[in-house]
Amino acid sequence: MTRSDGRTATDLRPVTIERGWSTQAEGSALISFGNTKVLCTASFTNGVPRWLKGKGTGWVTAEYSMLPRSTNDRMDRESVKGKIGGRTHEISRLIGRSLRAVVDMKALGENTIVIDCDVLQADGGTRTAAITGAYVALADSLEWGRDKGFIGKNSKPLIDSVAAVSVGIVKGEPLLDLAYVEDVKAETDMNVVVTGRGLFVEVQGTAEGAPFDRDELNALLDLALGGTADLTAMQVASLAS
Amino acid sequence: MTRSDGRTATDLRPVTIERGWSTQAEGSALISFGNTKVLCTASFTNGVPRWLKGKGTGWVTAEYSMLPRSTNDRMDRESVKGKIGGRTHEISRLIGRSLRAVVDMKALGENTIVIDCDVLQADGGTRTAAITGAYVALADSLEWGRDKGFIGKNSKPLIDSVAAVSVGIVKGEPLLDLAYVEDVKAETDMNVVVTGRGLFVEVQGTAEGAPFDRDELNALLDLALGGTADLTAMQVASLAS
Amino acid sequence: MTRSDGRTATDLRPVTIERGWSTQAEGSALISFGNTKVLCTASFTNGVPRWLKGKGTGWVTAEYSMLPRSTNDRMDRESVKGKIGGRTHEISRLIGRSLRAVVDMKALGENTIVIDCDVLQADGGTRTAAITGAYVALADSLEWGRDKGFIGKNSKPLIDSVAAVSVGIVKGEPLLDLAYVEDVKAETDMNVVVTGRGLFVEVQGTAEGAPFDRDELNALLDLALGGTADLTAMQVASLAS
Amino acid sequence: MTRSDGRTATDLRPVTIERGWSTQAEGSALISFGNTKVLCTASFTNGVPRWLKGKGTGWVTAEYSMLPRSTNDRMDRESVKGKIGGRTHEISRLIGRSLRAVVDMKALGENTIVIDCDVLQADGGTRTAAITGAYVALADSLEWGRDKGFIGKNSKPLIDSVAAVSVGIVKGEPLLDLAYVEDVKAETDMNVVVTGRGLFVEVQGTAEGAPFDRDELNALLDLALGGTADLTAMQVASLAS
Amino acid sequence: MTRSDGRTATDLRPVTIERGWSTQAEGSALISFGNTKVLCTASFTNGVPRWLKGKGTGWVTAEYSMLPRSTNDRMDRESVKGKIGGRTHEISRLIGRSLRAVVDMKALGENTIVIDCDVLQADGGTRTAAITGAYVALADSLEWGRDKGFIGKNSKPLIDSVAAVSVGIVKGEPLLDLAYVEDVKAETDMNVVVTGRGLFVEVQGTAEGAPFDRDELNALLDLALGGTADLTAMQVASLAS
Amino acid sequence: MTRSDGRTATDLRPVTIERGWSTQAEGSALISFGNTKVLCTASFTNGVPRWLKGKGTGWVTAEYSMLPRSTNDRMDRESVKGKIGGRTHEISRLIGRSLRAVVDMKALGENTIVIDCDVLQADGGTRTAAITGAYVALADSLEWGRDKGFIGKNSKPLIDSVAAVSVGIVKGEPLLDLAYVEDVKAETDMNVVVTGRGLFVEVQGTAEGAPFDRDELNALLDLALGGTADLTAMQVASLAS
C-alpha cells in the first residue's frame, strides 16, 4: 500500500531540526515531522524548587501547548478558557517523564531545566516530534550549564538520548509516523519513546477502534524501533553540526 | 520471592465487588483490590449532548477523583484548588476510552452514560480497580436503560467486557497488581486494559527508573493477561449474582 | 401522623456509626442517618498554619463535599466547574465552627486537624450527619495525637461532645430528622447543633415557605434537643466500643 | 452597662435610609446603621431565567460584596482572587432567601429582580443593614415594574415587609445591633430576620465563644423582635416619603 | 453647538470632591464628574512587597472596579465570573501609572500605597474621574504616613499633582469631558493625563469611528490641557480645605 | 547619536514578512522587526456570534500571546496560571481595534475573522509588529473569503491598510522602533497606529520616566508617521508578491 503522501509503511516523514532557533533560550530546536512543526526551548536555571533544596539533585520538567490556529480548525486558547485540558496535561507529563528518563539528576546537580514545546503547526505526531526536538534543546542547555560552571566538568547528566515516534494500524496495516489524515482513521494508535540504546521509556497503545492482539502489538513495536533508530541518528547529526 | 503481603508474583490481591451499592445510581459497584476501594456509579440519561444530537449514537464518559484522605497523607481537594490536576485528567480519560471500547454506540442509541469513579481508599492500582468496577456499573445501567425502554429489546450495546490490572518490575522481578509499597519501588510500571476476549484496549508502560527491554515488556504483558482473565471471571460472577 | 417511612414525629432514622472505617486517617467514621451516608475522616498534623505559629494554640477546620452521584440526579463536580458553590462553603464553615466549639485550642497545642466529610449518599440531613460523625473522627484523632506524644498526657482538648440534627415543619407539624422527601415539602427547616451537655452551638432556622412564629420555633427546639441527646448517647457508645 | 458609643443594650445605632440614591437602578437605597453603609440597588428585568420560563412565576436573587477598603484593613478583591469566599456566598444567599420570603412569585409574574448590596463602609451588622435596605430598593423596583406595565394593576407581589438586626451576648449581657468592636468580643452572635408582622424568616445563632442555653436564646430573640419592629417603622416612613 | 446638558464644548461637568469620605482609609475622596461618582481610597502600609524589599523604594498601585449596577444595564460581577475583564485591567494599570508618575519612590521609602477606585455610578469619564480623585486620596495618605513617622519629615514624595480628562470628537466637533451619551457617539475618544505643571503623563487617543488627522489631534490636546488645568485647581482647593 | 545596533534615530530595524507561513490558516504572516518575531494567523469563519446574527455585519477580533520563552527570562504560561494578565488583555484589545478601524463591517457581511498574534521571540515592539503582520494575514483571509463566495464580488471590506510602530525618547532623543534595550531606558514610550492614508487610529503615549511636553509629543508623532509609511510600503509589496 502506498500512503497518501507517497511513503511506504516504514517511512518517516521528512524530518528537519533547526538547532539553536531561539536567540534567547539556553537550548532550542525547531523540529518538523512533515507539516508538523514544534518549537522546543530549554530554559536552564541555577537552583531548584523549594521542595528539592539541599538534596543535591536537579529537576527537569516540560510544558506542551498548541497555538490556537496550529490546527485545521481554530481551537480556543487554554489561557482564555482559564484551564488546561486533559490532553495538554497528559502530553506535558509524557514529555517530562521521557526526558527525565535519560538524565542523571545527581549529575545535573541543583539546577532546573524547563522544556517548552509549542506546536506552531499540527499534522499528527506533535507529541513525538516534541520529545525528539526537546532532547536536542535539553542537550544544548546542559552544555550551556557546563560552560557557565553550573555543572561540573566531569559530570555526565545525560545517560542516554531519547526519541519518539507514533505508529498505528490503518485499515489493518501497521504504519510508521502517522500524519493527521491517517491518525483519524487508525484503529490502533501507539506512541513509543525509545532511548538511543534502543530501550523503551514509554509504550502507550490505545485501541481507537477495534481492540488489538499480541501480534499487532509486536508489529507496531518493530516499526517504532526502526523509526526511533532513524530519529536518534538525526539527533546525533544535529548536535554534531 | 514472596511479597510483603504474602502473595506470589502472579497473584492478584483479594478482590471484592459490591454490585448495586448505591440506591440512587442506575448502576453501581464498590470494588476493592486489597485496601484500594473505589465507588463506581453509572448515571444513565436519555438523550445526548448537543454536538451528538440527531446522529443516532450514544455517549459514554468517565470522571475519576480521589477523596482527600484516601491516601496516606491528606491531599488538597481539586475543587478547593479550583483546577483539576494532570493525573486526574489522564485517568478520567483512560477510564472513558476503556469503556467506550466495548460499547457499540449505535446500539446504545441517543443515551448518555456518565461513570463516576471515586477512590475512597487508595493503596495502588486505583485506576485499574476503577475500570474493572466501572464495567459492572456500566453493564447494570444498560440493563436499567433497556428496562425503561430507552434501549431497544434486540440492541446489544455491550460488545465485550473490559477489565484492567497493573503490572510492574520491582527489583528486577515482574509482579502482578502492585500495592502502593511496591508501586513506589517499581522500575517499570504498566497498566493494561484487556477485553473479556483477551484483546488489548490500552497498554501504558512507563519506565519510572531504568528503561526496559522487549523481554521485560513481554513478561509484563503475560502477567497482565493472566490477571485480567481472572478479573473478567469475577465480573461475570458478580453480574450473574 | 405517621411518616412515609413509618416513623413518629419524634423518631430519628436508624443511625449507624462505623468507627475507624479508614485504614489511613488518624480518626474516621462512616455514619448513616437512614439512607444518608457520610464518610468522615480526621487528618491530624503536628504543627499549625503559618499565621498561628508560636501562639501555642491549635486549629480545627472542616471540608464538606458531595459525590456527584450521591443524589438522585447527578450533579456536576465542583472540581470540574472550577469553583465551590455557596452551599458547600456554608456547610463546610458550619461543621468547622461546630467542632471548634468543643475543642480547647490551648490544650490541643500547635496541632492541626482537618476533618473531611464526604457524602457518599444523600437523603436529607447530610450536614447534621456530617457533624455527628465528624465528632467521632475528631475524638479518635485526638487520641492518636496523644499516643504519638503531640498532645500532653494531662491535656484535655475536648471540653464537650457535639451532635446535630435537622428539624422542620411539614404540613404544620414539627418533625425530627427530615428525610429528603420531607425536606422538600417543609415550610420551615432548622439545623440545630447541640453539645453533650445540652447547650446550643448553632441554631439555623429558615422559613422555606411561610415565616414561623415563636411557638413553632420553640416546638422545633424541643424536638431538636431530644434528637441530639439520643445522638450523643450513640456517639458515647461508639467511642466506648 | 453603657456601651462604648453611649447606647443602652436595647438601642439601635442611628439608622438612615437614602431612598433613590441611584439615578440608574429601578430601586435603590443607601442605608447606614451607624458607620456601616451599604448601597442597595434593585435591577428589574422583564423576563426570567431559562429554567423558569413559561411557569408564570418570577425570580428574586441577591449579591453581597464588600469594597476592599470598607474595612479597617484592606482586603483583597474577590475578583482579583478569582473566586468568591464562603462568607460572601453565605450572606448573598441569606439576603436572597430573606427577600423571597415576602414576595409572592406568582403575583410578580415572569419578571426578575436582582438586588446588589455593596458595603461601602463596614462597622458590624453589614448583612442586617443590607437586608433592611434591600427591602426598600425591592419595593421601589416593584412599583417601577407596575408603572411600566410588567406587573398587573391588581397584583400584590409584596406579601409583607422584612428587616433584620444582629444581637449578641457580650460579657454575659444581651445587646442589640452590635458594632464591630462589640461583635469581635461577643460570646454568641445571632442574626434575626423578621417580617413586618413579626414572624421569623431566619434565625441564625452561633456560639463564637461558649455555647448558649435556652434562656440566653430567648433573651436574644426578645431583643431582636424589638429592633426589627423599629426598623420596620423606618422602612415604612422611608417608603412613604 | 450647545450640548444636551447645556454645556459649551469647553465646559467640564460640575465637579465635586468629598475629601475624607471614608472613616477607615488613610486617604479618601468621593469624586463626581456630573452623574459619574467614584469612591477613591488610599491604603497606606508600612513595608513593601517581597520583590522590592531592601531597595529603599516604595510602591504605588491601583485597582479600578465598577459596581454591577453603576451602569444603565446591570453588569455581571467580575468576582462571580471568576475573572477580570480586559477593560478593568487596562484602567487599573492606567491609574497606577498615572499616580506613579508624580511620586518619587525613593522619597516614599519602603511603604506601599494601594489606591482603590470603585465606580458607584457611571456616566462617562469614570477613568478620568478616578485618576483625579485618586490623587487627592493619595496626597492625604502620604500626609498620614508622615504623621505616623513612616515618611521622613523632609522627604517630598509628591513631585507634582496629576489630573485627567476625556476629550472626543462628536459630529466633527471636539468636546471636553464627554458624558455617556456623547461618548457612544464619538468618532474619536481620547483620555489625557496631565500633571499640575501641564506636562503629559498619558495620551490615549482611539479612533472609534473614522481615523483622525493631526489637526484634530491638536484640537483635542488643547481642550484637554484646559480641562486638566481646571481640575488641578479644584484638587488644590480640596486639599487646602 | 548612533544606536547600539548601528541604526540612526529614524531607522526601522530590518523588517521581513513571510506571507502565507501557515498551511492551515486562511491568511497568515510571520513578521520580524529585527529579533522580534510574531506569527499572525487569520481564521475566517462564515457566520457571526449570536449577538450579531441577522444584522448583516461581520466581526473582527484579535488575541495576542507570548510564548513562555520568547523573552530573556522564561515567563509562566497564562494557561497554567489560569488567567490572562492585564498587559495581554490590553494588547489583544489594541490589535482588534486597530484592524476593525480599516474594515467595513457591512461589506464583510456575516463573517467572523479571528486574528491570533503569537510572539515567538520578543525584542521590543511586539505589539506594533503584531498589528503590522496581522493586517497582511487579514487581507489574505478576506481574499480567501471572496474566493469561497462568503464575501460578495463587489464588496470592499478593506477601506484602508493599517500599520504600527513604537517611538520613544531615550536620553532626551526621540527614536523610531525601539529594541528591548532601548525600551527599558525610555523616558517616554509611544505606540502609534496609522492607516495607509496616514491617519491616526491609535496614539498611546506613556511617560515611563519624566512627563513629556507638547514639543516632544510632536517630535514622536513625526517619527512615527515616517516609520508607518515605510511599513505600509512593505505590506503593499508583500501582498503584491
Side-chain angles (χ1 to χ4, degrees):
Chain A
M1 185 177 91
T2 311
R3 297 158 79 175
S4 60
D5 53 6
R7 286 188 284 158
T8 69
T10 62
D11 282 347
L12 291 171
R13 288 175 286 178
V15 173
T16 64
I17 304 177
E18 279 186 64
R19 183 181 161 214
W21 187 90
S22 162
T23 62
Q24 318 249 34
E26 286 75 36
S28 67
L30 176 58
I31 192 166
S32 62
F33 279 24
N35 279 326
T36 289
K37 298 186 184 190
V38 185
L39 177 55
C40 308
T41 60
S43 298
F44 188 109
T45 320
N46 185 230
V48 284
R50 194 174 306 184
W51 52 275
L52 265 183
K53 265 184 190 151
K55 302 196 174 167
T57 64
W59 185 238
V60 174
T61 187
E63 290 184 7
Y64 166 96
S65 186
M66 298 179 85
L67 291 198
R69 194 56 202 277
S70 58
T71 45
N72 205 43
D73 291 313
R74 188 180 183 273
M75 301 180 306
D76 287 338
R77 284 175 195 268
E78 293 183 324
S79 59
V80 170
K81 288 192 284 186
K83 54 184 171 186
I84 290 181
R87 181 181 172 278
T88 298
H89 261 142
E90 205 170 296
I91 298 177
S92 293
R93 288 157 56 89
L94 170 66
I95 299 171
R97 284 198 310 269
S98 298
L99 296 173
R100 286 192 293 274
V102 297
V103 175
D104 175 345
M105 293 296 168
K106 282 283 175 199
L108 174 54
E110 295 208 356
N111 294 299
T112 301
I113 300 171
V114 180
I115 307 284
D116 288 289
C117 297
D118 286 89
V119 178
L120 306 187
Q121 195 160 275
D123 185 26
T126 62
R127 79 189 71 186
T128 53
I131 291 168
T132 305
Y135 170 75
V136 174
L138 169 69
D140 270 348
S141 73
L142 289 168
E143 281 316 298
W144 182 93
R146 191 188 304 281
D147 286 352
K148 295 288 175 192
F150 298 133
I151 296 176
K153 283 202 175 166
N154 301 317
S155 289
K156 297 192 174 171
L158 274 185
I159 52 186
D160 204 339
S161 68
V162 67
V165 78
S166 76
V167 286
I169 298 174
V170 180
K171 293 190 184 166
E173 190 179 9
L175 299 179
L176 180 67
D177 187 23
L178 307 188
Y180 181 72
V181 292
E182 296 167 335
D183 193 52
V184 295
K185 287 183 296 189
E187 293 107 46
T188 290
D189 179 23
M190 188 175 295
N191 292 291
V192 186
V193 184
V194 179
T195 71
R197 287 178 194 144
L199 297 170
F200 296 109
V201 169
E202 292 269 342
V203 174
Q204 296 200 339
T206 296
E208 304 283 354
F212 51 101
D213 65 23
R214 193 79 176 252
D215 288 345
E216 289 171 313
L217 175 56
N218 281 324
L220 290 172
L221 292 170
D222 289 341
L223 269 182
L225 288 169
T228 50
D230 288 350
L231 291 166
T232 296
M234 294 178 213
Q235 289 172 325
V236 170
S238 173
L239 286 165
S241 68
Chain B
M1 185 178 91
T2 311
R3 298 157 78 174
S4 61
D5 54 5
R7 286 189 283 158
T8 68
T10 62
D11 283 347
L12 291 171
R13 288 175 287 178
V15 174
T16 63
I17 304 177
E18 280 186 62
R19 183 182 160 213
W21 188 92
S22 160
T23 62
Q24 318 249 36
E26 286 74 38
S28 66
L30 177 58
I31 192 166
S32 62
F33 278 24
N35 279 325
T36 290
K37 298 185 185 190
V38 185
L39 178 55
C40 307
T41 59
S43 298
F44 188 109
T45 319
N46 185 230
V48 285
R50 195 173 306 184
W51 50 275
L52 265 183
K53 266 184 191 151
K55 302 196 174 168
T57 65
W59 186 239
V60 174
T61 187
E63 291 184 6
Y64 166 97
S65 186
M66 299 180 85
L67 292 199
R69 194 54 201 279
S70 59
T71 45
N72 205 43
D73 291 314
R74 186 179 184 275
M75 303 179 304
D76 287 338
R77 285 175 195 268
E78 293 183 323
S79 59
V80 170
K81 288 192 285 186
K83 55 184 170 186
I84 290 181
R87 182 183 172 276
T88 298
H89 261 142
E90 204 170 297
I91 298 178
S92 293
R93 287 158 55 89
L94 170 66
I95 300 171
R97 284 199 310 269
S98 297
L99 296 173
R100 286 193 292 274
V102 297
V103 175
D104 174 344
M105 293 298 169
K106 283 281 177 198
L108 175 54
E110 294 208 357
N111 294 298
T112 300
I113 299 171
V114 180
I115 307 285
D116 287 289
C117 297
D118 286 89
V119 178
L120 305 187
Q121 195 161 274
D123 185 27
T126 61
R127 77 189 73 185
T128 53
I131 291 168
T132 306
Y135 170 74
V136 173
L138 170 68
D140 271 348
S141 73
L142 289 168
E143 283 314 300
W144 182 92
R146 192 188 301 282
D147 286 353
K148 295 289 175 190
F150 298 134
I151 296 177
K153 283 203 175 165
N154 300 317
S155 290
K156 296 192 174 173
L158 275 185
I159 51 186
D160 204 339
S161 68
V162 67
V165 78
S166 76
V167 287
I169 298 175
V170 180
K171 295 189 184 167
E173 190 180 7
L175 300 179
L176 179 67
D177 186 22
L178 305 188
Y180 181 71
V181 292
E182 295 168 334
D183 191 55
V184 295
K185 289 183 295 190
E187 291 107 48
T188 290
D189 180 25
M190 188 176 296
N191 292 291
V192 185
V193 184
V194 179
T195 70
R197 287 177 194 147
L199 297 169
F200 295 109
V201 169
E202 291 270 342
V203 174
Q204 295 201 338
T206 297
E208 303 284 352
F212 52 101
D213 63 21
R214 191 81 176 252
D215 288 344
E216 290 171 312
L217 176 56
N218 281 325
L220 290 172
L221 292 170
D222 290 342
L223 268 181
L225 289 170
T228 50
D230 289 350
L231 290 166
T232 297
M234 292 178 215
Q235 289 173 325
V236 169
S238 174
L239 286 166
S241 68
Chain C
M1 184 177 91
T2 311
R3 298 158 78 175
S4 61
D5 53 5
R7 287 188 283 157
T8 68
T10 62
D11 283 346
L12 292 171
R13 289 175 288 178
V15 173
T16 63
I17 303 177
E18 279 186 63
R19 184 182 161 212
W21 187 89
S22 161
T23 62
Q24 318 250 34
E26 287 74 36
S28 67
L30 177 59
I31 192 166
S32 62
F33 278 25
N35 279 325
T36 289
K37 300 185 183 189
V38 185
L39 178 55
C40 306
T41 59
S43 297
F44 188 109
T45 320
N46 185 230
V48 284
R50 194 174 305 186
W51 53 275
L52 267 182
K53 265 184 192 151
K55 303 197 172 165
T57 64
W59 186 238
V60 174
T61 188
E63 290 184 7
Y64 166 96
S65 185
M66 299 180 86
L67 291 199
R69 193 55 201 278
S70 59
T71 45
N72 204 43
D73 291 314
R74 187 179 183 274
M75 302 180 305
D76 287 338
R77 285 174 194 269
E78 292 182 326
S79 59
V80 170
K81 288 192 284 187
K83 55 184 171 186
I84 289 181
R87 181 183 173 276
T88 298
H89 262 142
E90 204 170 298
I91 299 178
S92 293
R93 287 158 56 91
L94 170 66
I95 299 170
R97 284 198 312 268
S98 298
L99 297 173
R100 286 192 292 275
V102 297
V103 174
D104 175 345
M105 292 297 169
K106 282 282 176 199
L108 174 56
E110 294 207 356
N111 293 299
T112 300
I113 299 171
V114 181
I115 307 285
D116 287 290
C117 297
D118 286 89
V119 178
L120 305 188
Q121 196 160 274
D123 185 27
T126 61
R127 79 188 73 187
T128 53
I131 291 169
T132 306
Y135 170 74
V136 173
L138 170 69
D140 271 347
S141 73
L142 289 168
E143 282 316 298
W144 182 92
R146 191 187 303 283
D147 287 351
K148 293 289 176 191
F150 297 134
I151 296 176
K153 284 204 175 165
N154 300 317
S155 291
K156 296 192 174 171
L158 274 185
I159 52 187
D160 204 339
S161 68
V162 67
V165 78
S166 75
V167 286
I169 298 175
V170 180
K171 295 190 184 164
E173 190 179 8
L175 299 180
L176 179 66
D177 186 24
L178 306 188
Y180 181 72
V181 291
E182 295 168 335
D183 193 54
V184 294
K185 287 182 298 188
E187 292 108 48
T188 290
D189 179 24
M190 187 175 296
N191 292 291
V192 186
V193 184
V194 180
T195 70
R197 286 177 196 148
L199 297 169
F200 296 107
V201 169
E202 291 269 343
V203 174
Q204 296 201 338
T206 296
E208 303 284 353
F212 51 101
D213 64 22
R214 193 79 176 252
D215 289 343
E216 290 171 313
L217 175 56
N218 281 324
L220 290 172
L221 292 169
D222 290 341
L223 267 184
L225 289 170
T228 51
D230 289 350
L231 290 166
T232 296
M234 292 178 215
Q235 289 173 325
V236 170
S238 173
L239 287 165
S241 66
Chain D
M1 185 179 92
T2 311
R3 297 158 79 173
S4 61
D5 54 6
R7 286 188 285 158
T8 67
T10 62
D11 282 346
L12 291 171
R13 290 175 285 178
V15 173
T16 64
I17 304 177
E18 279 187 62
R19 183 180 162 215
W21 187 91
S22 162
T23 62
Q24 318 250 34
E26 286 75 35
S28 65
L30 177 58
I31 192 166
S32 63
F33 278 25
N35 279 325
T36 289
K37 299 186 184 188
V38 185
L39 178 55
C40 307
T41 58
S43 298
F44 188 109
T45 320
N46 184 230
V48 284
R50 194 173 307 183
W51 52 275
L52 266 183
K53 265 183 190 152
K55 302 195 174 167
T57 66
W59 186 238
V60 175
T61 188
E63 290 184 7
Y64 166 97
S65 185
M66 299 180 84
L67 291 199
R69 193 55 201 280
S70 59
T71 46
N72 206 42
D73 292 314
R74 185 178 184 277
M75 303 180 303
D76 287 338
R77 284 175 195 269
E78 293 183 325
S79 60
V80 170
K81 288 193 284 186
K83 54 184 171 186
I84 290 180
R87 180 182 173 277
T88 298
H89 261 143
E90 205 170 295
I91 299 177
S92 293
R93 287 158 55 90
L94 170 66
I95 300 171
R97 283 198 310 269
S98 298
L99 297 173
R100 285 192 293 273
V102 297
V103 175
D104 175 344
M105 293 298 168
K106 282 281 176 199
L108 174 54
E110 296 207 357
N111 294 298
T112 299
I113 300 171
V114 181
I115 308 285
D116 287 288
C117 297
D118 285 90
V119 179
L120 306 187
Q121 195 161 273
D123 185 26
T126 61
R127 79 189 72 185
T128 52
I131 291 167
T132 306
Y135 170 74
V136 174
L138 170 69
D140 271 348
S141 73
L142 289 168
E143 283 314 299
W144 182 93
R146 192 188 302 282
D147 286 352
K148 294 289 176 192
F150 298 134
I151 296 177
K153 283 202 174 165
N154 300 318
S155 291
K156 297 193 173 173
L158 274 185
I159 52 186
D160 204 339
S161 69
V162 68
V165 79
S166 76
V167 286
I169 299 175
V170 179
K171 294 189 184 167
E173 190 179 8
L175 300 179
L176 179 68
D177 187 22
L178 307 187
Y180 181 72
V181 291
E182 295 168 335
D183 192 54
V184 294
K185 287 183 296 190
E187 293 107 46
T188 290
D189 180 23
M190 188 174 297
N191 292 292
V192 186
V193 184
V194 179
T195 70
R197 288 177 193 147
L199 297 170
F200 296 108
V201 169
E202 290 269 343
V203 174
Q204 296 201 338
T206 297
E208 304 284 353
F212 51 101
D213 63 22
R214 192 81 176 250
D215 288 345
E216 290 171 313
L217 175 57
N218 281 323
L220 291 172
L221 292 170
D222 290 342
L223 269 182
L225 289 169
T228 50
D230 289 350
L231 291 166
T232 296
M234 293 179 215
Q235 289 173 324
V236 169
S238 173
L239 286 165
S241 67
Chain E
M1 184 177 89
T2 312
R3 297 158 79 175
S4 61
D5 54 6
R7 287 188 283 158
T8 68
T10 62
D11 283 346
L12 290 172
R13 289 175 287 178
V15 173
T16 65
I17 303 178
E18 281 185 63
R19 183 182 162 214
W21 187 91
S22 161
T23 62
Q24 318 251 33
E26 286 74 38
S28 66
L30 177 58
I31 192 167
S32 62
F33 278 25
N35 280 324
T36 290
K37 299 186 183 189
V38 184
L39 177 55
C40 306
T41 59
S43 298
F44 188 109
T45 318
N46 184 230
V48 285
R50 194 173 305 185
W51 52 275
L52 266 182
K53 266 184 189 150
K55 302 195 173 166
T57 64
W59 186 238
V60 174
T61 187
E63 290 184 8
Y64 166 96
S65 186
M66 299 179 85
L67 292 199
R69 193 56 202 278
S70 59
T71 45
N72 205 42
D73 291 313
R74 186 180 184 274
M75 302 180 306
D76 288 336
R77 286 175 193 269
E78 293 182 324
S79 59
V80 170
K81 287 192 285 186
K83 55 184 173 187
I84 289 180
R87 181 182 173 277
T88 298
H89 261 143
E90 205 169 296
I91 299 177
S92 293
R93 287 157 56 91
L94 170 65
I95 300 170
R97 282 199 312 269
S98 298
L99 298 172
R100 285 193 294 274
V102 297
V103 175
D104 175 344
M105 293 296 167
K106 282 281 176 200
L108 173 55
E110 295 208 357
N111 294 298
T112 300
I113 299 172
V114 180
I115 308 284
D116 287 288
C117 298
D118 286 90
V119 179
L120 305 187
Q121 196 160 272
D123 185 28
T126 61
R127 79 188 72 188
T128 53
I131 291 168
T132 306
Y135 169 74
V136 174
L138 170 70
D140 271 347
S141 73
L142 289 168
E143 282 316 298
W144 182 93
R146 190 187 303 282
D147 287 352
K148 295 287 175 190
F150 298 134
I151 296 177
K153 284 203 173 164
N154 300 318
S155 290
K156 297 193 172 170
L158 273 185
I159 52 188
D160 204 339
S161 69
V162 67
V165 78
S166 75
V167 286
I169 299 175
V170 179
K171 294 188 184 168
E173 190 180 8
L175 300 179
L176 179 66
D177 186 23
L178 307 188
Y180 181 72
V181 292
E182 295 168 334
D183 192 53
V184 294
K185 287 182 296 188
E187 292 106 48
T188 290
D189 179 24
M190 187 175 297
N191 292 291
V192 185
V193 184
V194 179
T195 71
R197 287 177 195 147
L199 297 169
F200 295 109
V201 170
E202 291 269 343
V203 174
Q204 295 201 338
T206 296
E208 304 283 354
F212 52 100
D213 64 23
R214 194 79 177 250
D215 289 343
E216 290 171 312
L217 175 56
N218 281 325
L220 291 173
L221 292 169
D222 290 340
L223 268 183
L225 288 169
T228 50
D230 289 349
L231 291 166
T232 296
M234 293 179 214
Q235 289 173 326
V236 170
S238 172
L239 285 165
S241 67
Chain F
M1 186 178 89
T2 311
R3 298 158 79 176
S4 60
D5 53 5
R7 286 187 284 157
T8 68
T10 62
D11 282 348
L12 291 172
R13 289 174 287 177
V15 173
T16 63
I17 303 176
E18 280 186 62
R19 181 179 161 217
W21 188 91
S22 162
T23 61
Q24 318 249 36
E26 286 74 37
S28 66
L30 177 59
I31 192 166
S32 61
F33 277 26
N35 280 324
T36 290
K37 298 184 184 189
V38 184
L39 178 54
C40 308
T41 59
S43 298
F44 188 108
T45 319
N46 184 230
V48 284
R50 195 173 306 185
W51 51 275
L52 266 182
K53 266 183 190 151
K55 303 195 173 167
T57 65
W59 186 237
V60 174
T61 188
E63 290 184 7
Y64 166 96
S65 185
M66 298 180 85
L67 291 199
R69 192 56 200 278
S70 59
T71 46
N72 204 43
D73 292 313
R74 187 180 182 275
M75 304 180 304
D76 288 337
R77 285 175 195 268
E78 294 183 324
S79 60
V80 169
K81 289 193 283 187
K83 54 184 173 187
I84 289 180
R87 180 182 173 278
T88 299
H89 262 143
E90 205 169 297
I91 299 177
S92 293
R93 287 158 56 89
L94 171 65
I95 300 171
R97 283 198 310 270
S98 299
L99 297 173
R100 285 193 293 273
V102 296
V103 175
D104 175 344
M105 292 297 168
K106 283 281 175 199
L108 174 54
E110 295 208 358
N111 294 298
T112 300
I113 299 172
V114 181
I115 307 286
D116 288 288
C117 297
D118 286 89
V119 178
L120 306 187
Q121 196 161 274
D123 185 27
T126 61
R127 79 188 73 186
T128 52
I131 291 167
T132 307
Y135 170 74
V136 173
L138 170 69
D140 271 347
S141 73
L142 288 169
E143 283 315 299
W144 182 94
R146 192 188 301 283
D147 287 352
K148 294 289 176 190
F150 298 134
I151 296 177
K153 284 203 174 166
N154 300 318
S155 291
K156 295 192 174 172
L158 275 184
I159 52 188
D160 204 339
S161 69
V162 67
V165 79
S166 76
V167 287
I169 299 174
V170 180
K171 295 190 183 167
E173 189 179 10
L175 298 179
L176 179 67
D177 186 22
L178 306 188
Y180 181 73
V181 293
E182 295 168 335
D183 191 53
V184 295
K185 288 183 295 189
E187 293 108 46
T188 290
D189 180 23
M190 187 174 298
N191 291 291
V192 186
V193 184
V194 179
T195 71
R197 287 176 195 149
L199 297 169
F200 296 108
V201 169
E202 292 269 341
V203 174
Q204 297 201 336
T206 296
E208 303 284 352
F212 52 100
D213 64 22
R214 193 79 176 251
D215 289 343
E216 289 171 314
L217 176 56
N218 281 323
L220 290 172
L221 292 170
D222 289 342
L223 268 183
L225 289 169
T228 50
D230 288 350
L231 290 166
T232 296
M234 292 179 215
Q235 289 173 326
V236 169
S238 174
L239 286 165
S241 68

